[in-house]
């Protein structure tokens, strides 16, 4: 929610690569490759499915109020990622990977299409300053429209098959529930609404660009248009790789991936295969419902931004405009992230640095001072006391030895005097 929309400031081809390739869908791939572990943890699958469904709905509501052409697509990517994780959470791993693939085609086309528009608009990205571009950019408009229909889940384009498979498994899988299906359908309706809002604001109606920009509007060169055509073609027809049994297909994509997820089935993971070959009437009802909801989203976008029969202000002024402000400001997720995660982390690191500087370094420095002081006292005691005693004893012994040495003169007279003196002393002592 934070870095992905902000990354839209980068070059549009890079945005297309980031959003269409596995940089943002790596988590979906990871769950698919470790599905045998998730199948042994049903509670974890419920968490994944719930987060996926809520992400799809949460990000879709944000996309309805964005005016930057690339930010609409950015939050669309977040919403579609929610769909993929919803599929993974209900055990429909093949359906999640299938939507990952179809999403790559139409989202890459949409991003490159937005880049073509930005190129023609002299780097302008605000859709409120566009309008009527299909007159000057017919190929960009056609490819953009095809990919928009695909992401909206309109039959027979690729997004319909992958999204409908997810919704069906959200309803019928042992890990799914009607509530998850309902959230998924609501997100699908919002997707159709905000994507066609983007189409109508950008390509239809009167041009709202300034006079200078209008004079230089033109279709992008073929080096930009040809990739759009290729991706739009894939966005239109890639879904036929996974036509469900309910529509007479064999769901070849799911069969192709079946060996990958076979290990999970041996551990009780039957969510992906549940009702795979048994066609129930309810499946057609759910399929029709999702199409009608998507059609309703398209109709509402057309009424609000093309025919103007419904004023957008009727929705933006609900509850005194508070709801619109929350959605427009992305529920203040960025501000919350800044206040809690970034500033909180900075505060924690500041406290940790102060603790390290004052407490840890203080203790270390105090221990070093104590060690130096004790060492100095020990050195002084050794030098003045221990060495002093040793030196005094040595000096006394030396002086005593020198004194005794003088008695050994070699003179017989001297020796006799000593003997006489000693005898006298002994006699006096005995007399006492």
């Amino acid at each position: 929610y934070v870095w992905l929309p902000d990354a839209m400031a980068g070059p549009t081809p890079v945005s297309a690569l980031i959003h269409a390739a596995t940089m943002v869908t790596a988590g979906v791939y990871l769950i698919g490759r470790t599905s045998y572990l998730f199948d042994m943890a049903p509670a974890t699958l419920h968490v994944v499915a719930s987060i996926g469904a809520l992400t799809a709905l949460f990000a879709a509501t944000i996309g309805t109020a964005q005016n930057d052409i690339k930010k609409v697509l950015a939050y669309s990517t977040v919403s579609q990622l929610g769909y993929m994780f919803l599929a993974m959470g209900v055990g429909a791993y093949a359906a999640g990977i299938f939507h990952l693939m179809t999403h790559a085609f139409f989202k890459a086309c949409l991003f490159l299409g937005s880049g073509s528009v930005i190129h023609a608009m002299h780097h302008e990205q605000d859709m409120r300053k566009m309008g009527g571009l299909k007159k000057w950019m017919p190929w960009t408009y056609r490819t953009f429209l095809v990919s928009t229909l695909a992401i909206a889940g309109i039959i027979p384009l690729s997004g319909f098959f992958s999204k409908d498979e997810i919704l069906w498994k959200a309803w019928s899988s042992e890990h799914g529930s009607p509530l998850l299906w309902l959230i998924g359908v609501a997100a699908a309706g919002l997707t159709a609404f905000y994507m066609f809002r983007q189409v109508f604001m950008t390509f239809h109606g009167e041009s709202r660009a300034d006079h200078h920009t209008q004079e230089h509007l033109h279709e992008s060169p073929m080096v930009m248009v040809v990739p759009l055509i290729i991706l739009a073609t894939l966005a239109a027809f890639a879904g036929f790789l996974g036509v469900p049994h309910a529509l007479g297909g064999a769901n070849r994509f799911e069969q192709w991936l079946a060996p990958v997820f076979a290990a999970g089935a041996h551990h009780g993971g039957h969510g992906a295969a549940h009702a795979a070959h048994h066609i129930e009437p309810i499946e057609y009802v759910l399929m029709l419902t999702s199409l009608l909801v998507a059609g309703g989203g398209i109709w509402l976008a057309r009424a609000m931004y093309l025919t103007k029969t419904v004023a957008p202000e009727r929705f933006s002024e609900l509850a005194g405009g508070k709801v619109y402000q929350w959605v427009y400001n992305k529920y203040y997720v960025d501000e919350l992230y800044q206040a809690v995660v970034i500033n909180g982390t900075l505060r924690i690191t500041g406290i940790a640095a102060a603790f390290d500087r004052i407490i840890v370094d203080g203790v270390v420095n105090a221990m070093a001072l104590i060690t130096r002081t004790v060492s100095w006292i020990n050195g002084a005691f050794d030098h003045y006391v221990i060495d002093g005693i040793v030196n005094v004893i040595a000096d006394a012994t030396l002086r005593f030895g020198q004194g005794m040495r003088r008695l050994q003169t070699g003179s017989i007279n001297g020796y006799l005097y000593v003997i006489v003196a000693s005898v006298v002393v002994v006699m006096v002592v005995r007399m006492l």
Side-chain angles (χ1 to χ4, degrees), residues 247-267:
L247 295 179
N251 208 334
R252 293 186 180 89
F253 192 85
E254 183 174 347
Q255 293 180 8
W256 180 60
L257 289 179
V260 179
F261 306 122
H266 295 152
H267 292 92

Side-chain angles (χ1 to χ4, degrees), residues 14 21 47 106 118 136 191 278 291 331 368 386 388 428:
V14 177
V47 171
F106 51 69
I118 294 168
W136 291 283
T191 300
H278 181 63
L291 283 171
Y331 299 100
I386 305 298
V428 171

